[in-house]
Amino acid sequence: MRLHQWLFETASWRQQQGLEGGARTPDSEVVDEVVRGVGAYIMGRRMFGGGDGEWDETWTGWWGEEPPYHAPVFVLTHHSRAALSMRGGTTFTFVTDGIDSALEQARSAAGDRDIVIAGGASAAQQYLAAGMLDELYLHIVPVVLGAGERLLENVGDPTLEPVKVVASPAVTHVKYRIVHQ
């Protein structure tokens, strides 16, 4: 939870959750920027949660009855599951035929709006290695975990062009444009 504490304290995140309060800080402005203009999300199975293997159909995600996405979300998985519609306009579609299919479905759903790879590390790695990302927005928290997936492992040698850096006491946000050649 320490990795995400900066997020939970922002007015932007709290508003997305239907809550009041929170701090209007540079971190909150970054959260606003990240979700502005998003028409669809893609995430990995671990980001959605519920364990490995066959689905526990009672699991509906970490976020309760109304997820913060308010848009279609395409979940990369090896195990099929019926689409899951939630309050607030979020429908989770479980994609078993790879990142190309998930991206095609997300493009169709998003129209001319943006698509965000919401995580986790494996999903981001796959899209980065395939040259399918235009931007990479990292939120670096001064917490040493000691274990976990390395985000930039096995992604090839992408050219990252710094676009923006926003620093706060809790997190440093670094936005890169990925230069396609």
Side-chain angles (χ1 to χ4, degrees), residues 1-157:
M1 293 305 285
R2 292 183 332 172
L3 279 180
H4 306 290
Q5 194 60 44
W6 68 269
L7 174 67
F8 302 148
E9 295 173 2
T10 66
S12 298
W13 186 85
R14 293 184 61 80
Q15 182 180 6
Q16 289 175 39
Q17 305 303 312
L19 303 171
E20 295 182 9
R24 182 55 59 190
T25 63
D27 296 333
S28 191
E29 292 171 19
V30 166
V31 175
D32 282 341
E33 177 187 350
V34 168
V35 300
R36 188 179 308 118
V38 176
Y41 294 86
I42 297 172
M43 69 174 56
R45 164 75 185 257
R46 289 189 186 121
M47 178 78 175
F48 181 81
D52 294 326
E54 295 297 325
W55 287 101
D56 170 358
E57 299 284 333
T58 63
W59 177 262
T60 58
W62 305 101
W63 29 76
E65 295 180 18
E66 186 170 343
Y69 302 104
H70 308 290
V73 179
F74 298 88
V75 180
L76 298 164
T77 180
H78 297 290
H79 301 278
S80 62
R81 180 176 177 173
L84 177 62
S85 294
M86 307 281 289
R87 286 199 312 220
T90 301
T91 298
F92 294 98
T93 300
F94 301 90
V95 180
T96 59
D97 51 348
I99 65 171
D100 292 312
S101 176
L103 184 56
E104 182 179 318
Q105 292 177 62
R107 281 184 177 143
S108 178
D112 62 352
R113 301 182 75 191
D114 292 336
I115 299 166
V116 169
I117 308 301
S122 178
Q125 288 167 347
Q126 290 176 68
Y127 282 102
L128 187 56
M132 296 178 172
L133 291 185
D134 295 322
E135 293 180 343
L136 181 63
Y137 218 146
L138 300 177
H139 312 285
I140 305 161
V141 180
V143 173
V144 177
L145 297 176
E149 285 190 69
R150 297 168 57 111
L151 179 63
L152 300 177
E153 193 165 65
N154 301 316
V155 297
D157 188 20

